Amino acid sequence: MNFENILIEKNNGLATITINRPKKLNALNKATIEELHTAFEMLEDDAATKVILITGSGDKAFVAGADISEFAHFSVKEGGLLAKKGQEMLFDFVENLSTPVIAAVNGFALGGGLELAMACHFRIASDNAKMGLPEVSLGVIPGYGGTQRLPQLIGKGKAMELIMTASMINAAEAKEYGLVNHVTTQEELIPLAEKIAGKIMNNSSVAISAAIKAVNDNFKDGINGFDTEIYEFGNCFGTDDFKEGTTAFLEKRKPNFPGA
Ligand code: COA
């Protein structure tokens, strides 16, 4: 499959998606959002892909936001549809993937860029990264889940301030806030992501998928995450991975998970 705005590289179970519009600081236009949806869908269906990493090309930006030039003249109806379609197609879609998704934030992650990073299962950043939701400086609010996921990740008060002031925080502040898990140099960002992905891949992919679902259900309206946990926990007992994991432990050897 040929993409115009993204690159995909696969290596030993890790698939890396690079958003590749460096001249526009990797801003998310419609075509890029559609390509990302297709790529995530393909990788989710690919049994050989155990972890997905997403980053931006160049050394300046992860993603500098939704492409402002595309929506500057939208009507109320078009604006609403933009947010709805984008959330369904990319942001909610990524959050609910059963394959773990790590965002490697390599520079500016603003607006839709930070929203994309927040939709990933967790984030790491390079020390030049800058993050924020500057939408109110454009007369609009975050529309790709930012008003919901930022308070979930850093708490309501900090999120309110960041959104109202439209200001950016640096990587160290983002780590202090719990927005990113690790900060490293630009050179070490992808190696660190690969190291973490390697640790994830040693574990049962079936159990990891179940854990993602249970954790996500904590944040869903009308769904009791504890119930999901009970259900998914029980389900694990019927998997080959559980048999292998427990047998390997009792036999004092490393498990070799079949992933089923
Ligand atoms: N949408 C569309 N184009 C964007 C963009 C966005 N969100 N962010 C950056 N670009 C484009 C710029 O228009 C410029 O294109 P040009 O060279 O054709 O003029 C190019 O990317 C480089 O950006 P530039 O602003 O020249 O870089 P900078 O280093 O001076 O500033 C930023 C970097 C990130 C501070 C600045 O680009 C910016 O504020 N971007 C918008 C951030 C934003 O509000 N995002 C939320 C959108 S809802």
Side-chain angles (χ1 to χ4, degrees):
M1 179 114 196
N2 278 338
F3 294 110
E4 269 180 36
N5 302 289
I6 61 172
L7 306 168
I8 300 177
E9 198 186 314
K10 290 190 197 176
N11 191 13
N12 286 332
L14 176 66
T16 302
I17 301 177
T18 305
I19 301 171
N20 192 28
R21 301 182 74 215
K23 286 188 182 144
K24 294 290 174 191
L25 302 186
N26 304 320
L28 293 178
N29 59 359
K30 187 169 176 275
T32 306
I33 289 180
E34 283 168 1
E35 287 187 9
L36 283 169
H37 172 84
T38 306
F40 277 113
E41 195 171 46
M42 270 170 41
L43 295 172
E44 172 88 336
D45 291 344
D46 173 23
T49 296
K50 301 293 182 197
V51 179
I52 302 170
L53 179 64
I54 181 159
T55 193
S57 71
D59 55 10
K60 206 170 160 185
F62 173 71
V63 170
D67 193 319
I68 299 167
S69 64
E70 273 190 353
F71 62 72
H73 304 293
F74 272 12
S75 66
V76 169
K77 193 174 172 203
E78 287 170 319
L81 274 175
L82 178 75
K84 187 173 191 297
K85 270 191 82 178
Q87 289 193 17
E88 284 168 6
M89 190 179 263
L90 184 57
F91 300 81
D92 293 352
F93 189 75
V94 167
E95 182 171 69
N96 291 307
L97 287 182
S98 61
T99 311
V101 186
I102 308 172
V105 179
N106 58 310
F108 289 113
L110 302 175
L114 181 55
E115 289 172 304
L116 179 58
M118 291 193 294
C120 296
H121 297 129
F122 62 91
R123 293 141 292 284
I124 63 173
S126 54
D127 49 19
N128 64 318
K130 291 239 165 68
M131 284 160 253
L133 294 177
E135 284 85 348
V136 298
S137 71
L138 298 167
V140 66
I141 69 166
Y144 288 148
T147 63
Q148 305 304 299
R149 292 193 181 97
L150 190 62
Q152 284 171 6
L153 286 164
I154 69 171
K156 186 175 169 184
K158 287 198 193 88
M160 283 285 197
E161 182 180 342
L162 210 53
I163 290 169
M164 287 180 201
T165 57
S167 45
M168 294 184 209
I169 53 172
N170 63 29
E173 288 167 309
K175 180 155 182 264
E176 192 193 315
Y177 282 17
L179 188 52
V180 302
N181 295 2
H182 305 277
V183 175
T184 185
T185 59
Q186 282 179 276
E187 299 72 40
E188 281 303 309
L189 183 64
I190 299 303
L192 175 63
E194 287 169 350
K195 195 171 152 200
I196 298 170
K199 281 191 186 178
I200 294 172
M201 282 189 254
N202 286 336
N203 300 317
S204 158
S205 56
V206 182
I208 287 171
S209 304
I212 291 172
K213 188 167 181 351
V215 173
N216 278 342
D217 276 3
N218 181 34
F219 299 98
K220 289 191 178 146
D221 268 352
I223 298 179
N224 185 324
F226 288 98
D227 289 343
T228 306
E229 183 178 286
I230 291 166
Y231 175 80
E232 294 292 340
F233 179 83
N235 246 0
C236 290
F237 286 72
T239 65
D240 293 341
D241 275 12
F242 177 74
K243 283 186 196 79
E244 169 60 9
T246 47
T247 305
F249 178 82
L250 296 171
E251 291 175 355
K252 299 192 185 308
R253 62 172 172 81
K254 281 194 170 169
N256 183 12
F257 290 112

